[in-house]
Amino acid sequence: MKRTFFAAVLLAAVLILGSCESTAPESSGKDLFAMDTVISLKAYGGNGEKAVNAAADRLNELEGIFSVTRADSDIARINSLGTAKVSYDTEKVITKALGVCESTRGALDITLYPVMLAWGFTTGSEHVPTDSELSEALGKTDFRRVTINGGTVSVPEGYKLDLGSCVKGYAGDELAAVMSANGVTSAIISLGGNVRALGAKPDGSDWKVGVADPFSPNELLGKVCVRDKSVVTSGGYQRYFIDENGVRRIHIIDPSTGFPAESGLASVTVIGNDGLLCDALSTALFVMGKDAAISYWRENGGFALLLVTDDGVIYATENAGFENTSPYGTETIYE
Ligand code: ADP
Ligand code: MG
């Protein structure tokens, strides 16, 4: 029996708190489906409608560049031809993502697409691959073999890129920039489990972003207060299937084994100024597990972290400003 769950729609609906006071100035909003998730844009004041439409256009442009399934996207051309001249966006995203692949020693690997295909994750045909299917796919996986030269990206034969771990984070920042260029000073953008706040709430206070409870995704664990930041959550609860033996197989893969990550974490939330980095790190730190994730935070800094372990303990770094409203206990992590 196989089942695939997409909690993204529900998540998008519950993630943003305190953005709908009756006293708030007029808002302009739009809900879209792109990057395989529900995306909602909300801007306050200024010429909000124009800004929201411009952001939606930019989103369509990014979807056209990064989609693995659209034959003429940058990523599809790299994956089918092995080498392709790409847009500035693609060059920027791949370069930054490769930096995270490196700094997490391969816990993030943007060449995992053959492994995702072996599991049927992107084609809706989820199944446990055979050992030989998996080792063949893993043999075509190594981010160190991606080269970028003068706007041309190349991969060895059979290698395929998957930027699903970080494009939504990048998109959040890009949409915020488009809104800002159109005069908007207060906006909230939700892309599945990624939220990007532009400025503060219209009343000048921080945005309150709800963090989903990984054990009960329609409930909240608590909230973080942010302005001009991304809040990105990765978890095993969002996309998974149940295999023939009743084992839950999540869509975040440990590149060292090719198997869904089983690191003892139920979710990882990264809060920071750079959406792409937050998104890439939320995936990588999930793979790495609690202790390695905390060490990474101590060594690299520049972001805040919320970890939820499989046994229901929340670990929040001291800079996360996390307000726990759940029945679980919180341990604070100090530098
Ligand atoms: P979501 O896209 O649901 O918000 P993530 O940001 O954690 O979740 O990205 C998960 C996606 O990234 C997977 O669907 C897959 O396409 C890709 N992926 C899975 N594991 C890895 C990994 N270890 N390194 C890089 N990409 C990964
Ligand atoms: Mg991610």
Side-chain angles (χ1 to χ4, degrees):
M1 205 176 58
K2 276 190 288 180
R3 287 182 293 159
T4 307
F5 292 78
F6 290 89
V9 179
L10 286 168
L11 267 179
V14 297
L15 266 166
I16 296 142
L17 306 169
S19 59
C20 51
E21 287 85 351
S22 53
T23 53
E26 213 169 300
S27 69
S28 308
K30 218 179 189 98
D31 289 332
L32 306 142
F33 190 86
M35 299 183 172
D36 211 17
T37 194
V38 176
I39 296 185
S40 90
L41 314 171
K42 200 149 206 178
Y44 293 84
N47 190 345
E49 202 177 324
K50 183 165 167 260
V52 162
N53 287 334
D57 288 347
R58 178 72 172 128
L59 180 65
N60 283 331
E61 183 182 34
L62 292 175
E63 170 90 339
I65 290 171
F66 293 119
S67 163
V68 270
T69 48
R70 288 197 199 173
D72 60 344
S73 78
D74 280 356
I75 302 308
R77 286 185 305 111
I78 297 165
N79 290 354
S80 61
L81 305 170
T83 184
K85 182 99 186 145
V86 298
S87 63
Y88 174 68
D89 287 304
T90 304
E91 195 182 349
K92 199 158 113 191
V93 169
I94 293 179
T95 303
K96 269 189 161 182
L98 285 174
V100 179
C101 295
E102 197 70 57
S103 71
T104 60
R105 298 191 185 89
L108 189 80
D109 192 324
I110 58 166
T111 63
L112 266 189
Y113 199 53
V115 175
M116 295 304 287
L117 286 172
W119 283 90
F121 270 118
T122 44
T123 48
S125 56
E126 293 90 344
H127 62 278
V128 180
T130 63
D131 288 351
S132 67
E133 279 170 345
L134 200 55
S135 61
E136 197 190 328
L138 274 174
K140 292 172 184 152
T141 300
D142 182 0
F143 69 90
R144 295 167 197 86
R145 302 199 60 193
V146 179
T147 58
I148 310 182
N149 205 334
T152 296
V153 177
S154 305
V155 295
E157 199 183 335
Y159 278 53
K160 292 182 197 299
L161 300 185
D162 175 354
L163 298 177
S165 61
C166 46
V167 287
K168 291 202 291 283
Y170 179 69
D173 282 354
E174 289 302 302
L175 303 189
V178 167
M179 289 203 200
S180 183
N182 279 279
V184 168
T185 52
S186 173
I188 196 90
I189 301 160
S190 163
L191 313 94
N194 293 29
V195 175
R196 171 61 154 87
L198 171 63
K201 273 166 57 178
D203 66 5
S205 64
D206 287 348
W207 287 104
K208 296 180 186 68
V209 178
V211 178
D213 177 347
F215 306 109
S216 183
N218 295 332
E219 310 280 327
L220 295 178
L221 275 187
K223 58 198 170 194
V224 291
C225 293
V226 293
R227 49 181 78 195
D228 285 319
K229 279 190 169 35
S230 288
V231 181
V232 180
T233 300
S234 280
Y237 62 93
Q238 284 168 311
R239 291 166 199 240
Y240 62 88
F241 75 98
I242 308 290
D243 76 12
E244 296 74 16
N245 300 316
V247 179
R248 178 198 281 227
R249 306 287 192 173
I250 68 168
H251 73 128
I252 299 175
I253 302 285
D254 181 346
S256 68
T257 62
F259 274 83
E262 284 181 40
S263 62
L265 290 177
S267 74
V268 172
T269 301
V270 178
I271 304 143
N273 295 327
D274 185 310
L276 189 157
L277 288 182
C278 291
D279 197 359
L281 281 177
S282 70
T283 309
L285 299 182
F286 186 95
V287 171
M288 287 158 67
K290 176 177 82 72
D291 293 343
I294 291 171
S295 300
Y296 186 96
W297 174 76
R298 287 197 175 118
E299 278 158 31
N300 294 275
F303 64 95
L305 192 56
L306 280 181
L307 307 171
V308 185
T309 56
D310 282 338
D311 47 12
V313 180
I314 304 169
Y315 292 83
T317 58
E318 56 181 324
N319 59 341
F322 176 62
E323 208 178 300
N324 186 357
T325 57
S326 77
Y328 314 112
T330 312
E331 302 265 341
T332 305
I333 307 297
Y334 298 95
E335 270 192 54

